[in-house]
Every structure is written in structure tokens, then in C-alpha cells.
Amino acid sequence: MKKILFMSMLFLLASCEDDENRFFQLGEFRVLAVQADFPEIDGNSPTPITVTLTPFVSDVKAAGRTLSIDILACPDPGLQLGNEPTCDESLSTTQTIAYANVNSSTLGARFTGAMPSFTVDVPPGLLTGQTAQTQFNGLDYLITMKFSAGSESTSTYKRITVSQRTPKNKNPRIENVLRNGNTGGSIHNNDSLGIDLLAGFGAQTYEFRDQDGIISEKNEELTTSWFTYKGTTDLRRTFINEETVFEQTPNTNNPFVVAVLRDDRGGIDVVLRE
Amino acid sequence: MRLLSSSVSSIVFLAVAHAQEATTPETMSAAETCSIDFQILEKGTRTPIADAPVYLLPDGVAQTTDSSGRVKFSDLTCQEHSWVINITGYVRMDIKQTPIKSSFSKIYIEKINQAAFETVVTDDKLKRDGSQRTLKGDQFMKAIGARGDPIIALENEPGVSGFGQEGGIILQGADPEDTRFYVNGHEVPQIFHNLGFSSIFIPDAVDSVELMPAGFGSEYGRTIGGNINLITKSPKTDRLHSMAYVDLLNAAALVQGPITENQSFWIGGRYSYLGLMFNLVTSDNVTFNQVPEFYDIEGGYNWQINDNWKFDLTGFTARDQIRLAIKDTDDPFFKGDIGSKTKFFRFIPRVTYQPNEDTTWYTSISGGRDYLDFDINNQYFDADINQFSLRSEWKQTWTKNFTTFVGTDSQFSMFRADANIPSGTFPNSEDDKIPFGLRDTIQKRISEDYYDVGFYMRTNIQTDDEKWLFSPNARFEYFSLTQNAHVSPRLEITRKLNPYVKVRANAGLYYQPPQPPELEEDFGNPNLTDPRAIHYSLGAAFDGRSANVGFWGDTTVFYKDLDNLVSNSDATITTPQGIVPERYNNSADGYVVGSQWSLNYHFRKIYTGLVYTILWSRKSDPLNGSYPSLSEQRHNLNMRVAYEANKKWTFSTRARLISGPRFTPVIDAAYDLDNDVYYPTFGALNSRRAPYFFQLDVRADRKWVFERWIMSLYVDVQNVLNRANAFNVEYNFDYSKEKKNTGIPILPTFGIKGEW
């Protein structure tokens, strides 16, 4: 824990880096999120379970070009042990997922939105031989995606949790991105932005089994990341009851923001607000 | 030397007296006599000056002061008389007084040298443990760049690479966690405040700091690196003394003095106002729910029971605390409330029995408790550790040349902790590379009692001509955590070549248990065994000073062979409970080889010191192959010059040139879509260095000596060139750019101290 204290002291002096502020400002190609229809699946299933994944990207500046994704899927190679988040193509447990190229103009007028979905069949038997704790809390099935847009590329990965516990995790849902507490109107300079959750799709309570076999309840913590176009926000990430203030770039029109809502277990929702 | 100078003074002043006799008119009256009682005290400290001759003029009649500095002249005429006091090292004092029937007068005489660097007494005797370096109070109080602090002053010593990137002190290339800290021979969890980089004792409570790098004796164990032992002062017994100081970071006070004729005490404490400094550098992004603060309180009690028995008690506590809220960070894990509180206390009673000069026995017991509380949002680590230790030794000088030391140094710990933390938050963790937010959370209540038993024996055999000292010594240890017992033989041989030069060689075997979290079944691997080291060192010390003018210094070549080290593992193992990560194993080994040099020169008003350490520190394990240690500072050069401009002012400067800290470069990164954070891919372990460190410091010391008190002032400007030295290298949020975390910019500091 001394390391955590040390790291936090560094943040005192070096937080809010300009680099990351630029990352949240849209224009260049960005991978915003990848949503799985089932972030957590049943590890007892005797047959493969098909999961549908939907990438959300933004490519405003290019205003129309070919986007491609190279996709591999495999059991977690041991991220918690320090191994890289990659799938070894030479292993039989790795599957290659085909994905057809698309043009970013299909994302909509703002060149920001969902790409066509793809599916992954998660094989059965992943929990065989694992400890009772791992079987209950789950093991990750990894999907690596290398996005390419022209000469730019971004390596990403996402996990599907394979577990025995119930109920399974589901994606949180944003009902509205609020502007000064309201749903209407377009975004302007100094607007306070927040989100309104869809009833029944907020933070879930879930069970967690510790190493001694004791099962306790934990609560998800929802966090929203704010991507902006023609402006910035004072906070790049907000907790669920927190707001961020939009600062519009002077002499610009038609700004928009993208709110990416995450629970801390792989559940995701994405909403664009103009 | 003082007796000799007193005799010379006597001759001179008798001559002066006789010369004056011829010209001084006869004033004696036979009818009435008076007497006068002087007490001769050192100006400022009010220390009684014993055995000092006081001359009555014109006859040159000398009386010598007693232990309380008093001297009495009787049967004097009741007219004005003249006296002279002239003692080596003090300003001559001429006194004219007219005694009444029975008068008393306090006389304050001033030391000639009140400035920074006082005479260092040369001791050419062979030391019990030649590997040990000792920094005395006067040395660390006036060490440039140290703010008067005994621990920071260690940075000026050879073999000390300073503070590690995450705290801890690096000795001769060892990992910071391989250096153990002691107070009066009992281990403590920390010896300096995490938040303030000040030692846990106010400097005036510290007698000396013992530094034990490679080749230390069997009196200490449980480590393959080195030790730092802080020795507290015995209280003064002549009168009540007080001291108070303020500097840029904190304020402190200390009181000491006699309780009865054979009992005395000291008590002191310090409180920081570090929070004000932090508030200056923080932004709207950070809110302090509690400003950073630290304090320490310490005290001591001495009781000389009789000629043979002595009892003393030392007690101390130290606390560091901070709580803050971070609104926005690169790593979402750190967004939110963060708090840290560390506190511990110890009481160390000791009984010493010395029936004669040849026999000494002491036993001391340390009891106390450590509190460690950290939390980030809903993650926490709260630990209470009851700590007890025993140190006892019997020293027997059998003949002039043959002395034995037999003792025990044992510990017992009761560790209780509630943890809900990311894995790998302990030293050497297997997932050091993983962003905190991506680590598994481990929730557990830990309850563990463990003990380390150590017995040691040393035999010092000196030849009749006192040129050779053979010191075979050995330690037996048992670590209950690993259930392993070891016998660690060690040997030191010292040869005095001539009055100026000594050479020393030693070798020894050292064991340490793994860090307790590394053995915990859910954080580490309970099957680990004890890392081992063999130390070899060869050194020479010379002292060519005459009348405190000339060169002195020392050099040591050291080699540490390390094996069975705890290493990270990315493997999984199958247990009856299922497949689990191995996390650690004992497959690493390594070595540290280097040389350290210290050269000092004193001539009249100039003192210079040059310290240089060069070392290579490497490890190897199956996962990473051969790689340099994170603690490897290849070159460490420290140069100091002090100039005593006059008896009040001293100016000094220090330059340090040190190899940059090592780090592991990141060669690629992937975006974790579930956690909104990048996961780095690392290159070769510790394969790159940050740019070299260079810092120039200057300092001025001024002392005002009044009759009854002393005021000292120092002004210390650190990093006068305002060089941006990197203490480590970090990456931006997606690891596409490196950024240096730089240390202090130009930092003027000051301290004012009053002693009365």
C-alpha cells in the first residue's frame, strides 16, 4: 500500500496531463468502447455461448475512410500475473474472428458511433480445474482488437467473464445525458453535464467469494468518461452523482459529447449528446 | 592535552605575574580579609569547566576549579583584585573584582571555535566491528543539505545511495527493503517520516547513527543488505537544559536535566507544518481533507542505581497522516478519497550491570505497536502489529587481548490486518507492472504470530603489539515464518600497519526471511525459503592528521553474492484446491560489487570531503534473465567544502553527481476497454536510466553565544542551479510519452535554534 500512497503523491504534482485531455477531445481516430451484450456468461454451460460485441469509435477529422479490426479471442493468458493482454495465434485455444472493413461515414453525420457488431463463441469448460473461488467469481475470456484507420492503429482488449455465480452482470444503461439537470436543449459553454440512469440498469449488487469460501456482497461503482468535440470538460471522469462542466472552444459551433458509462465489471453503455 | 596546556599556561602566567609584581603597588591590608568564590562556566552552554587554573594577580597564585567549575580564593584584602583565566580552546578572560566578606561570582568564558566544524578526536584503537561507520551528533547537525537531520545526513556517507524511488534507504546497491532500521538496537518499522523525509527523532535527541553496510557483525541479522541503528542520547545531568528550533518544515523542543543526584530525564517532540507546503503546490484538482502532518514525541530516563547497576528507559512515538480527494487522474483507480496514517510507538527499558571494567552485561526489551492504515475509496489496508524484541549481551574481557561477546537479538510479532486491496501492492510483487485498477482485489483478515530468534557470539583476539585484531563471530537464527534455522559464521581481521593506516577484511554469511506478505497464501507463496547472501569486503582507513590538520579517509571494496532470492513468477501451480498462481519463487540470484571511497582534508579554516561509490548490482531469474537491480546507482560522487570565515560564521557547499535511477521502458500499450486505462508492455527489466542527477547546495551557519544561551541560524539553499533532476521516469496515460518526475527545485530553507 505504500506504493499506492507514493503514486497518489505523484498525482498531487502531475495530475490532469494535457496529453490525456487531448485524448478525450475527439477529432483523431478514437476507440470509445466495445459493448458486449453479455459481459458475464454461465461457466456451467456445456456448449459454447455466443456473445455479440459492438465497437463504438469516432473518426471526425478524417470524415470518411476505411476502418478495420483484427480480432482474436482466447482464454486470459494471465494478465494478473503480469502477462501481456495478447492472444497467441499459434495456440489451438485462440480463435480468429473475421470482420469486414467499414467506412466511417456509416457511423453517422458526426462520424462517431457504433460499428457493425461481431460475435464470439466462448468455449465451454474454461472453469475446469480452477479453484472454487475462481469458478464462482469467474475467469476472463479475452478478446483482443486491433483497430486501424489509415495509418493510425489502436490495440485494445475486452474481457468476457465466465463464472458460476448468479445473477450475471448486465450492462448499465444511460437514459439521458443531462445538461444543467435537463434533458432538452443543445450543449453550450459552461453547461454542467451529468447522466440519468435507466431504471433497473444502475449499479448492481453482486456476490463475491473470498479465498476462505465466504460469500459477501459488493456494489458496482459506475464511472462515466466524457469525450468531447469542440470543447473540454473540467473532469474527464465522473462518479454517478458527480457533474462535469463543459468548456466550449471559442468561436466554434455544434459541439457534442460522448458519455461512456462503465460499471467496474465489464458492463458498458455509450450515448452521444449534441 | 588539557593538563599539558594548563601547565604551560601556569608557567606563562607565573612569569607574567612576577613581572607585574614589580610594578604593582602594595595594597594588602592586614586588618580585614575577604573571600571570593568563582564558578567558571562555558559561555552559552553554562557547562562547568573543571580542572581549570585561575590565576590571582599579581602573585600568580593559581587555584584549580573543581568538578562543578568552582574555585575559591580566601584571605584576600577587601580591595579590587585581578584574576586571569586562560584555558586552551577558550578566549582569555581577565577579571577585576572587589570581594566582600564572602562573595560569589559566575564567570562565563567563551569557546574560541563556535563555528561549524569542531575538532574530531582521532581514535586509533581497533574497533569492535570495523565495518560500522558512526556519524556523531556534531557531524550530522552541521552536514550540508541535511537540514540538521541524522538520517538525511547519511546521504553524505560512502555506500549510501540515498532514498529509493518509493522510500526506503539504499545501502550499497541493496534493495531498500533489505535495509533494517533500529533504535538502540531494537528494530522499528521506519526511521524517517514518510511525509517529511525527517528522521523520527529530533536531532538533539540523537547521539549517533551507526551505519552497517557489507560485512556487519553477528550482533545483527535478519537481513542480507544492511542496517541503520540510531542511538539516543543520555540526558545531561548538570542542570536543566532546554532547546527549541524552527525550520521550514517543522518545529521542535527538548528539555533535559537531573531529577535527583543519580536520576535524569529528557523529553522532546516535533510537529510539522508540512501541510502548508503541500497547499502551495496543489491545485483545484486536489482537496486535502486533512493536510499532511507528522509528529514525533520521544523521551528518556536514566537512573544510576549504584556504581554497578544502571537503568534507562527510552520511549518514542511517531505518526504520519494525510487524507485527500483527487477529482481527476490518468488512472481512474486514484480518483476519489485517499488516506494514509502510519503510527508506531516503542518503550525500551534497559538494565546494565558493570561490576568491574572487564565485565558488562545488559538486557533491554522493546515493546510497542505499529499501526498502518491506508484507504482508497472502498479499498483499505488496516494493520495493527504488536512488536516485542529482546536484546541482551554479556561482554567479558578475559585478558588484555581477549574479549568475548555473547548475546541474543530476538523478536516476536503479532500481526493483525484487515485488507481489501489490489494484489501486488507489496514489495517485489509479481504484478508490479499492472495498473492498480486492473488488479484482482483481495479481501482478507490476516492474523499471524511469528518470531525470529537470534543468538550471537563474537570473540575479539588482539595481539600484544595491538596490531592485529581477529574477530571471528557467528549468529544462530530461527525464522518461524519459514521454519528455517541457520548458522551464519562471520570473520573480521584488522591489521594496524602503522599509527596512520589500518586495513580490514571480512566475510560473512547472512540470511533474511521473505517479506511477510510474500509468504501469505493469498498474496504470495507460503513455500518460499530464506534468501541468502555472502558478504566480502576489504578496506583500509588512514588518518594522516597532525594537530587536526591533514588528510584522513577510508576505502572499501565489497562483494555480495546473493542467492535464493524471492522472484516474481508468472506460472500457475496445481494444488488440491485447484489451479492457483505461484506468484513468487526462490529462483533469483545476483550480486553487488563495488568500491567506496572517503577522503577528507582539514587545513586551518578549510574542511573538504569527497565521497565516491561505484557499484554494479545485478540479478537474474528465469523470467527476466540477467538484469540490473532497480537500486543500482553506478556512480555516486559527493564533494563538500566548508570554510570557517571567522569564529561565528561558516560557509559550506556540496555538489552531488549521481547516476540516474533505473527504470523499465514501456515499448507498447493496449487500451483496456473495460476499465478505461492502458495496459503497458514492458521492455527489458530496469534496462534504462533516467538522466544523471546533479545538485549543488550552499549553506551558511551563524552562531550567537550569549552568557546563558546560544542561538544558531542556518540558511541552506538546495539545488541552487535549479536543475530538474529526475527521481524516476513515468509515462503518460497511453504510454506514448515519457515524462521525468523531478525532485525539488531550488529550495531555500532555514533553521533557527535556541539552547539554554
Side-chain angles (χ1 to χ4, degrees):
Chain A
M1 289 300 276
K2 204 170 174 182
K3 284 181 196 169
I4 295 180
L5 176 65
F6 178 77
M7 294 295 292
S8 60
M9 299 304 265
L10 287 184
F11 280 118
L12 287 181
L13 305 172
S15 54
C16 274
E17 291 296 321
D18 287 343
D19 275 346
E20 196 174 28
N21 284 331
R22 281 196 290 274
F23 174 77
F24 282 97
Q25 292 169 31
L26 299 176
E28 307 288 345
F29 178 70
R30 293 281 183 276
V31 180
L32 305 175
V34 174
Q35 187 186 52
D37 56 351
F38 301 112
E40 185 173 21
I41 59 173
D42 184 10
N44 289 329
S45 172
T47 57
I49 295 177
T50 301
V51 178
T52 302
L53 295 109
T54 307
F56 290 84
V57 300
S58 176
D59 195 24
V60 185
K61 203 170 176 181
R65 60 176 165 174
T66 301
L67 307 178
S68 64
I69 316 177
D70 298 320
I71 306 167
L72 297 172
C74 62
D76 178 4
L79 268 65
Q80 288 293 328
L81 300 175
N83 291 326
E84 293 173 23
T86 55
C87 292
D88 185 347
E89 290 183 79
S90 66
L91 297 177
S92 61
T93 50
T94 297
Q95 49 177 315
T96 303
I97 313 294
Y99 190 86
N101 294 351
V102 296
N103 192 285
S104 62
S105 59
T106 62
L107 301 174
R110 296 307 191 106
F111 302 96
T112 300
M115 295 172 70
S117 300
F118 61 92
T119 60
V120 172
D121 292 333
V122 181
L126 291 175
L127 297 180
T128 304
Q130 300 296 331
T131 61
Q133 184 194 12
T134 303
Q135 289 182 10
F136 185 84
N137 296 332
L139 196 69
D140 291 331
Y141 191 71
L142 197 71
I143 298 140
T144 67
M145 292 154 279
K146 185 175 181 181
F147 290 79
S148 298
S151 60
E152 299 170 54
S153 68
T154 303
S155 295
T156 67
Y157 63 94
K158 180 169 178 62
R159 307 168 184 82
I160 303 296
T161 304
V162 182
S163 73
Q164 291 179 342
R165 71 179 156 203
T166 53
K168 300 299 182 195
N169 186 26
K170 61 184 181 185
N171 287 312
R173 294 280 299 275
I174 299 172
E175 184 168 31
N176 288 297
V177 173
L178 302 175
R179 174 185 154 270
N180 299 325
N182 300 313
T183 57
S186 56
I187 291 174
H188 293 99
N189 192 32
N190 287 328
D191 282 350
S192 288
L193 305 176
I195 61 163
D196 193 11
L197 291 168
L198 189 65
F201 290 90
Q204 287 178 262
T205 299
Y206 61 97
E207 290 187 332
F208 179 85
R209 178 180 170 134
D210 70 13
Q211 44 288 325
D212 299 322
I214 298 167
I215 293 173
S216 57
E217 287 195 336
K218 290 191 169 192
N219 295 311
E220 290 179 344
E221 185 160 55
L222 304 186
T223 310
T224 307
S225 301
W226 296 93
F227 290 88
T228 57
Y229 181 67
K230 294 184 177 174
T232 59
T233 51
D234 68 335
L235 298 180
R236 296 163 296 180
R237 299 178 183 89
T238 53
F239 291 130
I240 203 65
N241 293 318
E242 219 175 6
E243 291 189 331
T244 187
V245 177
F246 180 74
E247 184 182 343
Q248 187 173 345
T249 308
N251 306 317
T252 59
N253 297 315
N254 302 322
F256 67 89
V257 299
V258 178
V260 179
L261 177 66
R262 291 180 171 87
D263 61 26
D264 47 10
R265 297 196 294 149
I268 284 176
D269 195 19
V270 182
V271 169
L272 186 149
R273 172 73 153 83
E274 294 182 277
Chain B
M1 183 60 88
R2 176 173 285 180
L3 285 175
L4 178 63
S5 66
S6 299
S7 303
V8 172
S9 303
S10 303
I11 295 166
V12 171
F13 282 95
L14 281 173
V16 170
H18 283 291
Q20 289 181 340
E21 190 177 14
T23 56
T24 306
E26 179 64 56
T27 54
M28 185 177 291
S29 162
E32 191 180 8
T33 62
C34 291
S35 68
I36 189 162
D37 193 357
F38 291 117
Q39 186 178 25
I40 313 301
L41 302 166
E42 186 178 290
K43 193 175 176 182
T45 66
R46 289 182 281 160
T47 304
I49 299 176
D51 300 327
V54 179
Y55 300 96
L56 172 65
L57 299 179
D59 298 333
V61 175
Q63 300 269 19
T64 304
T65 57
D66 62 15
S67 60
S68 62
R70 296 186 91 142
V71 60
K72 186 168 186 176
F73 289 86
S74 304
D75 299 327
L76 300 172
T77 60
C78 301
Q79 296 169 314
E80 184 179 81
H81 291 269
S82 298
W83 288 265
V84 168
I85 306 168
N86 197 1
I87 307 167
T88 303
Y90 289 87
V91 176
R92 170 192 161 124
M93 171 69 82
D94 292 286
I95 308 165
K96 279 187 190 297
Q97 285 207 13
T98 304
I100 55 174
K101 200 151 196 176
S102 179
S103 51
F104 173 72
S105 182
K106 286 185 178 176
I107 306 296
Y108 297 94
I109 62 172
E110 187 175 1
K111 278 177 91 173
I112 289 173
N113 187 351
Q114 298 286 359
F117 297 96
E118 304 199 355
T119 303
V120 178
V121 177
T122 307
D123 179 10
D124 67 347
K125 286 184 179 173
L126 298 177
K127 286 162 65 178
R128 165 178 171 170
D129 183 349
S131 70
Q132 201 172 88
R133 300 182 72 86
T134 303
L135 207 56
K136 299 293 287 184
D138 191 53
Q139 293 168 288
F140 62 70
M141 289 270 203
K142 291 159 183 169
I144 181 170
R147 290 188 278 112
D149 190 273
I151 299 302
I152 301 175
L154 290 176
E155 286 185 325
N156 293 342
E157 293 298 299
V160 178
S161 305
F163 295 93
Q165 293 180 28
E166 294 165 9
I169 296 176
I170 301 170
L171 288 185
Q172 291 180 329
D175 291 338
E177 56 268 22
D178 293 344
T179 299
R180 303 243 174 191
F181 304 127
Y182 293 84
V183 172
N184 293 345
H186 292 273
E187 189 168 354
V188 292
Q190 63 187 71
I191 205 165
F192 55 91
H193 290 283
N194 290 330
L195 299 176
F197 292 103
S198 298
S199 62
I200 56 164
F201 277 84
I202 54 178
D204 293 77
V206 178
D207 175 75
S208 57
V209 184
E210 295 173 346
L211 186 63
M212 289 169 268
F216 59 86
S218 58
E219 292 84 350
Y220 290 87
R222 295 186 289 274
T223 181
I224 58 173
N227 304 293
I228 295 171
N229 185 27
L230 200 145
I231 307 290
T232 56
K233 268 184 178 171
S234 294
K236 292 179 178 173
T237 55
D238 57 328
R239 63 173 178 85
L240 196 65
H241 290 256
S242 301
M243 178 285 300
Y245 76 77
V246 292
D247 67 17
L248 196 67
L249 299 177
N250 53 78
L254 183 139
V255 179
Q256 60 182 326
I259 302 170
T260 64
E261 194 173 286
N262 56 359
Q263 296 177 73
S264 55
F265 79 103
W266 62 270
I267 186 164
R270 158 174 45 194
Y271 186 78
S272 78
Y273 26 82
L274 186 69
L276 295 174
M277 299 288 291
F278 269 77
N279 278 331
L280 291 176
V281 298
T282 53
S283 65
D284 292 342
N285 191 37
V286 178
T287 307
F288 283 107
N289 300 327
Q290 176 165 24
V291 294
E293 65 166 24
F294 67 81
Y295 70 73
D296 50 66
I297 301 169
E298 46 267 357
Y301 166 74
N302 270 28
W303 179 21
Q304 187 69 48
I305 301 167
N306 56 40
D307 288 346
N308 299 334
W309 289 89
K310 195 176 102 176
F311 172 80
D312 62 79
L313 170 68
T314 305
F316 51 95
T317 182
R319 188 174 85 159
D320 291 58
Q321 187 164 299
I322 186 173
R323 177 160 289 284
L324 51 96
I326 299 177
K327 292 180 183 171
D328 209 10
T329 69
D330 290 357
D331 186 342
F333 178 80
F334 290 100
K335 177 178 167 63
D337 293 327
I338 298 176
S340 163
K341 185 167 76 176
T342 60
K343 186 171 81 170
F344 76 97
F345 70 85
R346 291 288 186 279
F347 287 100
I348 308 176
R350 178 172 55 187
V351 175
T352 305
Y353 174 61
Q354 189 172 17
N356 52 59
E357 283 191 358
D358 296 332
T359 305
T360 306
W361 167 87
Y362 75 82
T363 292
S364 62
I365 299 166
S366 168
R369 197 166 191 187
D370 306 342
Y371 304 87
L372 308 168
D373 295 336
F374 300 100
D375 62 86
I376 292 186
N377 299 320
N378 60 354
Q379 309 224 5
Y380 54 84
F381 182 80
D382 298 333
D384 292 348
I385 309 148
N386 289 306
Q387 299 276 16
F388 304 95
S389 57
L390 167 70
R391 183 173 281 275
S392 182
E393 183 182 275
W394 169 45
K395 174 189 171 190
Q396 184 67 50
T397 302
W398 303 96
T399 70
K400 178 189 159 200
N401 302 330
F402 184 70
T403 305
T404 56
F405 306 82
V406 179
T408 180
D409 162 34
S410 301
Q411 292 183 352
F412 178 70
S413 305
M414 298 164 66
F415 185 95
R416 306 286 181 272
D418 282 314
N420 181 38
I421 55 172
S423 62
T425 44
F426 295 106
N428 296 326
S429 107
E430 84 284 2
D431 43 15
D432 256 355
K433 301 171 181 176
I434 306 170
F436 283 102
L438 304 189
R439 299 181 188 188
D440 281 341
T441 296
I442 298 177
Q443 184 174 358
K444 185 160 188 178
R445 174 158 181 78
I446 304 166
S447 178
E448 183 88 45
D449 298 340
Y450 55 94
Y451 55 91
D452 305 332
V453 176
F455 294 100
Y456 63 88
M457 180 171 183
R458 176 190 286 273
T459 304
N460 279 4
I461 306 161
Q462 191 168 259
T463 54
D464 284 339
D465 57 8
E466 298 186 354
K467 288 186 173 177
W468 287 95
L469 175 66
F470 299 91
S471 188
N473 57 103
R475 183 179 177 93
F476 167 83
E477 288 177 296
Y478 176 77
F479 304 137
S480 71
L481 275 174
T482 53
Q483 300 183 337
N484 285 324
H486 308 284
V487 175
S488 308
R490 299 169 195 176
L491 173 66
E492 180 174 70
I493 300 172
T494 309
R495 169 77 163 97
K496 191 156 67 173
L497 298 178
N498 56 48
Y500 313 107
V501 180
K502 285 178 281 190
V503 294
R504 176 181 58 82
N506 57 20
L509 192 57
Y510 301 83
Y511 290 92
Q512 73 178 23
Q515 302 278 323
E518 292 172 345
L519 287 159
E520 215 283 330
E521 60 182 339
D522 296 306
F523 296 98
N525 180 350
N527 299 316
L528 292 177
T529 57
D530 302 323
R532 187 183 78 154
I534 306 174
H535 292 189
Y536 306 90
S537 74
L538 180 65
F542 73 96
D543 192 337
R545 280 176 293 178
S546 173
N548 204 34
V549 171
F551 288 96
W552 74 102
D554 62 84
T555 179
T556 302
V557 178
F558 52 88
Y559 178 76
K560 299 180 190 177
D561 185 14
L562 314 171
D563 68 4
N564 209 44
L565 301 179
V566 175
S567 165
N568 298 334
S569 169
D570 63 354
T572 53
I573 52 175
T574 303
T575 66
Q577 288 74 39
I579 300 168
V580 296
E582 184 182 38
R583 299 193 184 93
Y584 304 105
N585 56 40
N586 283 103
S587 63
D589 55 26
Y591 67 85
V592 182
V593 61
S595 180
Q596 61 187 47
W597 302 73
S598 168
L599 179 64
N600 304 282
Y601 180 65
H602 187 198
F603 179 70
R604 293 182 180 171
K605 295 182 172 183
I606 295 175
Y607 162 90
T608 63
L610 187 148
V611 166
Y612 175 63
T613 305
I614 181 171
L615 60 83
W616 289 260
S617 177
R618 294 190 73 84
K619 291 180 184 173
S620 67
D621 63 58
L623 202 60
N624 299 292
S626 175
Y627 57 92
S629 301
L630 187 64
S631 310
E632 189 206 50
Q633 285 184 348
R634 179 70 53 79
H635 303 281
N636 190 333
L637 178 66
N638 182 312
M639 294 175 287
R640 305 182 304 282
V641 179
Y643 173 65
E644 297 170 1
N646 53 48
K647 64 180 184 179
K648 305 292 185 191
W649 281 97
T650 298
F651 301 96
S652 50
T653 182
R654 174 179 72 165
R656 287 188 294 160
L657 181 64
I658 306 170
S659 300
R662 286 199 170 273
F663 68 99
T664 304
V666 174
I667 55 177
D668 199 3
Y671 184 48
D672 186 313
L673 293 156
D674 298 321
N675 295 286
D676 193 17
V677 68
Y678 276 79
Y679 191 107
T681 301
F682 287 90
L685 191 60
N686 304 333
S687 58
R688 286 188 50 201
R689 283 188 187 281
Y692 69 89
F693 172 101
F694 178 73
Q695 185 167 310
L696 187 68
D697 309 321
V698 295
R699 172 172 166 145
D701 288 85
R702 172 70 163 96
K703 207 168 200 176
W704 291 266
V705 181
F706 304 100
E707 282 194 347
R708 299 176 65 82
W709 68 292
I710 298 172
M711 188 171 83
S712 315
L713 165 74
Y714 75 79
V715 177
D716 195 333
V717 184
Q718 295 186 38
N719 196 11
V720 290
L721 301 179
N722 197 27
R723 187 181 149 83
N725 288 305
F727 64 87
N728 74 356
V729 171
E730 289 271 301
Y731 285 86
N732 67 341
F733 74 101
D734 65 352
Y735 298 90
S736 61
K737 290 180 185 171
E738 288 177 8
K739 56 180 179 182
K740 293 189 297 181
N741 283 317
T742 54
I744 55 168
I746 183 169
L747 179 65
T749 64
F750 70 93
I752 301 173
K753 182 164 93 171
E755 299 164 80
W756 62 95

